[in-house]
Amino acid sequence: MLSRKEVAHLQADVLVIGAGGAGMYAAIEAARRGAASVLLVDRSLIGRGGATVMTQMTVAAAVAPDGEDHWRYHLADTLTAGRGLSDPKLAALLCEVGAECILEMDAWKVGWARDGDRFAAVQAPGHDRARCVYVDFLSTGPAVSRTLRAQVQRVGPAIRRIGEIAVTDLVVQDGAVTGATALHVASGQALTIGAAATIIATGGLTRLYGRNSASANMSGDGYALALRAGATLVDMEFVQFFPIGHLAPRLIGMDPIMWDPFRYKLGGRLLNGAMEEFLPRWGGDAENGKYSTTRDLATYAITKEAEAGRGSPSGGAWLSFTHVPEAELRGAFGPVIDRLARNGIDLTRDAIEVSPIAHYHMGGVRVDAAMRTDVPGLLAAGEAVGGANGANRLSGNAITEAFAFGRIAGAEAARIAAAAGTRAFNAAAAAPALERLHATAARGMNTAAMVERLQRVMSADVGPFRTVTGLARASVALEALRDELGDAPPGVPGTPQDLTRLDWFDLRQMILVAEAVVQGATARTESRGSHQREDFPEQDASWQVNQILQLAKDAARPDLSRVAVAA
Amino acid sequence: MIARLLIRRGGAGEAPRHEAFEIGFEPGESILDALRRLRVSQDPTLAFRYACINANACKECMMLLDGKVIYACTARLEAREMRLDPLPNKPLLRDLATVIAPPDERLG
């Protein structure tokens, strides 16, 4: 047993933080490019937390036979969806390298569904053709996670995998990242990690919102780690809401975004409280049984219809398949129909209630085409990266992005680790972060209730629709939470599975990231994509710029500035 | 409706004890819903494990309900006394949380 001040240390060429699609792909690629020791850590279990495993169905990639699709067509759709804010180089990498990764995943036997001798594909809203491959309607994510985890294991001892490690800070020496400090959740012990290159693959920030479609561990921690280490964040105001998240009745054992595949296959009808179609009232198409409405428009329509007093009983909209014959329902979703029946839902008879749910973050860590941040030794991959998807992400682009950016980051990290002149980890540089891990607050605090409060603030005033008044209210509430949180976590260091302490470390990051979202959203006085300002309802051409955030040393809050969109 | 959860508390090596919590619920809610709400409303120090909340994708929330292995995210609350214990065949971390990571994916 280590004494309190004796801290375990791990050393690696490449540290990958997060074992979802991006992190696992990065680890595989780093090892393949010669990194002798890759350390893959996750705050949950390896390959089981985060967003990848939660993917229901679609993965967008131009993998149709020659002449039928091209990654450039996929890029054109991605840029259109991004409404002028995407970094075109990153978007191109997503589409081009992503397609290569989809084929590699096929070779790794992920089991993409086949239609004869080609990949089966569906056309998702915003895509100009059927381009979204899948493994199964509701279990693409688990298949992807399983395949990558098996591949990581196949690499052998070059990749060490350790779960239950929550990274709390990056260690910076002379302006370069040399490793990290972390809380080993299972034991409650602090540890340090030294690495020549560190990849942030921690996913997004959906946990800032009470209703969300990812795992409980997407706290935006990677954004906060990057910001505190001196890296730049971009487009933080652009949070994507998935319009038809399950709302009622209570449905368990299934992901709240599970209705998406139903929409792909069977269309379905979105209806207001009076069982009337309402999408055209808010600028949408009369879908006529086709799933054609993009996410931002559907989110807008459902929210506005409910605000006008025409919502479903729980404040969303009805989604109905009652017009679809039972045989067709069963043919399309077989056993899922039985799982729904166990939740008391009979789709031939009952509509269900849906409403927008936090789903994905377009913003994130600013990187170059090699996934390098502004800080030497620090890279990012996957949803943690900002910029590829601009103001709105297309359906199916998240997993593709995870693969592509993971692969690129892994290759670059291996190159950095092999280069001469990287600084060696110096424990002294980790001292302030370790002190925090060993601290105990003088007073107790209910950090679980504080997380819930933060989620309520964000849902009420920093959801898809924002006003200057609401954002100011959120800012004040976040400030109060920050004061309440103080400088030291509650509880006793070294307590196994201490969720109260873990929540404290999460809140420290969540508050900073929430403030970054509020800051970006307050400054952007226009409506564009997923960022809708009710007090500035029009898109404004002069706002076709990115907003970036940087945190000066020892400053409490980041500085916001505008930059031209990358060419 | 109100469920009475009898929850095993304490860490490895401590004498086993059970603590009772009463919690209101809506029909259809899961044990995990209740445990998460208990942390907010009654005792934030309650230890259990989960990642995916609702989807039965992470498979982390296995525990015993009245002696039978369940996933807390798919077992429904009932208006009665429900006894929760950690998995008996895994090393205990604390309360309902046990060591379930594969041996080669642990810190050691």
Side-chain angles (χ1 to χ4, degrees), chain A residues 44-46 48 149 160-161 163-164 186 215-216 250-254 342-343 446 495-497 499-500 503, chain B residues 28 33 39-40 44-45 47-52 54-55 58-60 73-74 76 93-94 97 102 104-105 107:
Chain A
S44 174
L45 299 176
I46 299 297
R48 296 217 236 157
R149 187 162 172 276
R160 184 171 178 200
R161 320 176 300 276
E164 303 169 306
S215 300
R250 185 78 183 102
L251 173 65
I252 60 177
M254 302 188 83
R342 285 198 290 277
N343 278 280
N446 185 340
T495 306
Q497 194 74 9
L499 301 185
T500 311
D503 279 340
Chain B
D33 290 336
R39 283 199 64 233
V40 171
T45 70
F48 49 98
R49 59 188 312 154
Y50 68 102
C52 81
N54 192 65
C58 72
K59 312 287 184 187
E60 269 202 52
C73 75
T74 56
R76 288 176 199 279
L93 285 171
R94 207 161 59 80
D104 63 342
E105 293 181 353
L107 183 57

Side-chain angles (χ1 to χ4, degrees), chain A residues 457-458 460-463 465-478 518 521-525 531-536:
Chain A
V457 167
M458 294 299 284
D461 284 324
V462 201
F465 303 97
R466 293 123 183 218
T467 63
V468 70
T469 321
L471 290 166
R473 198 162 42 219
S475 188
V476 170
L478 291 170
V518 170
T522 306
R524 185 174 282 280
T525 47
H531 167 75
Q532 295 290 319
R533 282 286 298 260
E534 304 205 83
D535 41 359
F536 296 92

Side-chain angles (χ1 to χ4, degrees), chain A residues 16-21 23-24 27 39-50 53 145-146 148-150 152-153 159-165 217, chain B residues 49 51 57-58 60 100-102 104-107:
Chain A
V16 182
I17 308 171
M24 288 196 283
L39 177 60
L40 175 63
V41 302
D42 195 285
R43 49 174 296 152
S44 174
L45 299 176
I46 299 297
R48 296 217 236 157
V53 72
S145 278
R146 210 165 37 237
L148 283 170
R149 187 162 172 276
V152 165
Q153 286 172 307
I159 303 176
R160 184 171 178 200
R161 320 176 300 276
I162 309 180
E164 303 169 306
I165 289 184
N217 47 22
Chain B
R49 59 188 312 154
C58 72
E60 269 202 52
I100 60 169
D104 63 342
E105 293 181 353
R106 294 178 197 164
L107 183 57

Side-chain angles (χ1 to χ4, degrees), chain A residues 326-377:
Chain A
E326 185 173 1
E328 201 177 319
L329 277 170
R330 195 158 276 286
F333 288 98
V336 181
I337 303 295
D338 299 321
R339 275 159 78 186
L340 289 170
R342 285 198 290 277
N343 278 280
I345 297 170
D346 174 355
L347 288 182
T348 62
R349 195 190 61 207
D350 311 318
I352 45 95
E353 289 182 71
V354 295
S355 74
I357 187 169
H359 184 51
Y360 175 87
H361 192 45
M362 274 72 75
V365 185
R366 191 173 72 170
V367 296
D368 66 10
M371 301 300 139
R372 288 178 298 213
T373 70
D374 299 337
V375 181

Side-chain angles (χ1 to χ4, degrees), chain A residues 254-266:
Chain A
M254 302 188 83
D255 188 88
I257 64 164
M258 56 157 296
W259 296 112
D260 212 28
F262 277 77
R263 294 266 281 150
Y264 283 119
K265 271 219 132 171
L266 302 169

